[in-house]
Amino acid sequence: MAKRRKNGLYDGISEELSALMRTGWADTERHDLEPDEQAPYAARRRAALSARFPGERLVVPSGNLKTRSNDDPYPFRPYSGYVHMTGDQARDGALVLEPRADGGHDAYCYQLPRDSRDDDEFWTGYHAELWTGRRRSLAESERVLGLPCRDVRTAARDLAAGSGAPTRIVRGHDPALEAAVTTDEERDAELETALGELRLVKDDWEIAELRKACDSTVRGFTDVVGELSRAVATSERWIEGTFFRRARLEGNSVGYGSICAAGEHATIMHWTDNDGPVRPGDLLLLDAGVETRTLYTADVTRTLPVSGTFSPLQRRVYEAVYEAQEAGMAAVEPGAPYRAFHEAAQRSLTARLVEWGFIEGPVDRAYALGLQRRFTMAGTGHMLGLDVHDCATARTEQYVDGVLEPGMVLTVEPGLYFQADDLTVPEEWRGIGVRIEDDLLVTADGHENLSAGLPRTADEVEAWMARFAG
């Protein structure tokens, strides 16, 4: 029986209404569905995960809805490791790899089935299909995912009964499934680490999705330039809404909270309030990415002169960041240490800061002491994929202390940020923030800039804005 809403306008359901609601529904089962194009890639990813944990049962939940307020949930976003292993985005699901005697695994997927018309839940439940939309049936999911699918309502009982094999589960996504199994926290963390590491090198299908994300993001940035006059008349919120419209039109959503930072807000690394004024003469730092319908995201930043032309000082800072990005991008190639692009970009910025007299040299000393970080703030990039900061659970030796390989996708995003209250720099520098960020695919002979559709040099930015700015 559905949970009754407090202060609902109806006291109950008559037997006659219940009978009426249960009858007269067409059979909407879809028999024409084909396997998703991602299905064979997901199968290979599951095989790679299986090889890491022979003889063990593995449980990877998709996650549950989270309440925003009362009976209003946040939009559901599944756990990325589940998506990577299945291609599925359904809530309340779980991938299970059951060990076989030969060391391999049998994979199956728990799913929430369609609501039965045999009781009132399908039209009265908080998350019933008539309220939130049709789900796939288990048979439909089997065809799309290329996986046997089971009713998730039996999952906790099934997992608790067990097969005798040691079990690992990814924690933090489904409390009911966690409670059903006996596991070890450290061993569970190893499973999550493995899921992160298996995303370090993207397959061809993933790379194609990231291209789509970057291409849509280019169009979203162009939309913003075309509506800058509307932002000047309103606020940063207009910029946020303009980009979001493109993200929803061509993808699932934005891949992270858009940073639409004008004026001194550009010096705040993760400014997402986006409620400030947009003034001619100031810079606009726009850091945003479209997330595709398959949940792969771009992550791109451009810093734009709101008036369409950089002031001499703004151009000076911009060109220093551009030179640093060029140095960092030149270091992205197979076989290079992951840290090489970061070090190249940071050394370039350190040299400029010493030249300008903002930190004490020589450059090697300043860099060794990290003095540039007062003005550069963050690292110069990160892995990119299903998450904007992808592969975050990977071991350090496999990630930041690792080596670049073809198929890795990462951001290169140096920046300089002179805070509005920083008395160590001349007044005219205060409140200037510049970041340039692109998404690079490591190739067999170097790299490809997936976001190259956007201009990067100061002259190119001004010409682009002259062409599109409204």
Side-chain angles (χ1 to χ4, degrees):
M1 177 63 69
K3 180 181 177 183
R4 183 175 172 183
R5 288 174 172 81
K6 185 177 182 180
N7 295 317
L9 294 175
Y10 293 107
D11 293 331
I13 300 170
S14 68
E15 292 184 7
E16 291 80 2
L17 174 59
S18 179
L20 174 65
M21 289 299 298
R22 297 184 197 193
T23 61
W25 299 101
D27 179 5
T28 61
E29 180 76 9
R30 294 192 60 186
H31 302 281
D32 59 342
L33 296 175
E34 299 290 335
D36 187 86
E37 64 178 5
Q38 188 179 182
Y41 294 93
R44 288 194 282 271
R45 298 167 199 158
R46 292 193 296 273
L49 181 66
S50 170
R52 291 202 179 196
F53 300 100
E56 300 187 59
R57 183 173 63 172
L58 310 177
V59 183
V60 184
S62 69
N64 312 133
L65 288 172
K66 293 181 172 59
T67 299
R68 180 177 183 270
S69 179
N70 298 323
D71 59 353
D72 179 28
Y74 286 103
F76 178 69
R77 200 330 184 138
Y79 168 54
S80 294
Y82 173 84
V83 176
H84 191 239
M85 288 290 133
T86 64
D88 184 49
Q89 298 181 34
R91 66 178 174 93
D92 301 322
L95 171 70
V96 176
L97 298 186
E98 197 71 53
R100 297 193 306 261
D102 63 4
H105 288 82
D106 291 322
Y108 55 90
C109 197
Y110 281 107
Q111 297 266 290
L112 191 63
R114 297 203 62 204
D115 286 336
S116 170
R117 279 6 185 206
D118 294 334
D119 58 41
D120 295 323
E121 182 73 20
F122 81 96
W123 67 281
T124 60
Y126 275 22
H127 307 299
E129 284 188 289
L130 287 194
W131 288 81
T132 62
R134 185 188 187 279
R135 295 190 292 270
R136 285 195 304 243
S137 70
L138 296 182
E140 290 170 348
S141 287
E142 287 191 350
R143 286 194 290 274
V144 171
L145 303 180
L147 275 171
C149 291
R150 304 181 181 183
D151 189 334
V152 75
R153 292 172 297 185
T154 70
R157 183 184 68 217
D158 296 347
L159 292 174
S163 60
T167 298
R168 299 178 191 250
I169 188 171
V170 180
R171 299 189 180 203
H173 299 283
D174 196 316
L177 297 186
E178 287 178 41
V181 295
T182 301
T183 64
D184 174 83
E185 185 173 352
E186 183 175 344
R187 294 175 66 255
D188 290 346
E190 291 172 354
L191 171 58
E192 190 170 15
T193 293
L195 288 165
E197 291 177 359
L198 288 171
R199 302 210 304 271
L200 283 168
V201 176
K202 271 59 180 177
D203 56 41
D204 291 343
W205 186 88
E206 292 179 285
I207 292 168
E209 289 301 296
L210 287 165
R211 289 187 195 281
K212 292 178 188 176
C214 287
D215 290 346
S216 290
T217 298
V218 168
R219 289 188 283 274
F221 273 67
T222 304
D223 293 341
V224 167
V225 170
E227 297 196 14
L228 263 183
S229 63
R230 304 293 297 272
V232 170
T234 53
S235 76
E236 296 163 341
R237 291 279 168 94
W238 192 274
I239 295 166
E240 179 181 359
T242 298
F243 188 86
F244 181 74
R245 182 178 64 235
R246 176 66 65 173
R248 286 291 285 162
L249 177 67
E250 297 189 0
N252 176 60
S253 186
V254 291
Y256 53 96
S258 298
I259 298 168
C260 309
E264 66 184 51
H265 291 160
T267 67
I268 301 172
M269 291 293 298
H270 288 164
W271 174 259
T272 56
D273 287 350
N274 300 335
D275 60 358
V278 180
R279 302 187 182 97
D282 283 347
L283 295 176
L284 166 66
L285 189 156
L286 176 59
D287 184 337
V290 171
E291 178 186 77
T292 64
R293 289 184 171 89
T294 59
L295 308 186
Y296 286 80
T297 186
D299 180 10
V300 179
T301 306
R302 289 295 184 268
T303 305
L304 314 174
V306 175
S307 61
T309 305
F310 292 101
S311 73
L313 180 55
Q314 290 170 347
R315 178 178 280 264
R316 189 178 182 186
V317 177
Y318 187 95
E319 290 182 341
V321 174
Y322 173 77
E323 290 170 3
Q325 194 196 30
E326 284 281 280
M329 289 169 67
V332 175
E333 59 184 4
Y338 175 84
R339 292 181 183 270
F341 78 92
H342 164 73
E343 293 172 353
Q346 290 290 306
R347 282 186 176 277
S348 177
L349 293 174
T350 302
R352 285 295 185 186
L353 291 165
V354 170
E355 174 191 326
W356 295 335
F358 296 160
I359 57 176
E360 183 180 347
V363 172
D364 286 347
R365 170 189 174 275
Y367 182 74
L369 295 174
L371 302 184
Q372 84 284 355
R373 293 178 61 185
R374 180 181 178 101
F375 306 102
T376 65
M377 297 288 289
T380 312
H382 50 80
M383 292 293 183
L384 184 69
L386 276 167
D387 292 329
V388 66
H389 293 160
D390 208 27
C391 314
T393 61
R395 290 169 293 175
T396 300
E397 58 267 29
Q398 296 294 317
Y399 190 161
V400 296
D401 288 340
V403 173
L404 296 179
E405 299 178 40
M408 290 182 170
V409 180
L410 63 149
T411 69
V412 180
E413 51 174 313
L416 283 173
Y417 313 95
F418 300 102
Q419 303 300 323
D421 58 350
D422 189 343
L423 301 181
T424 70
V425 299
E427 184 175 0
E428 63 269 23
W429 293 69
R430 299 172 198 164
I432 293 178
V434 174
R435 178 163 67 250
I436 311 171
E437 177 181 20
D438 285 276
D439 302 342
L440 270 59
L441 165 67
V442 182
T443 62
D445 55 0
H447 67 263
E448 177 188 350
N449 184 355
L450 300 179
S451 49
L454 288 174
R456 287 195 302 124
T457 71
D459 287 343
E460 290 169 346
V461 167
E462 288 180 346
W464 174 61
M465 295 185 69
R467 180 182 176 191
F468 290 104

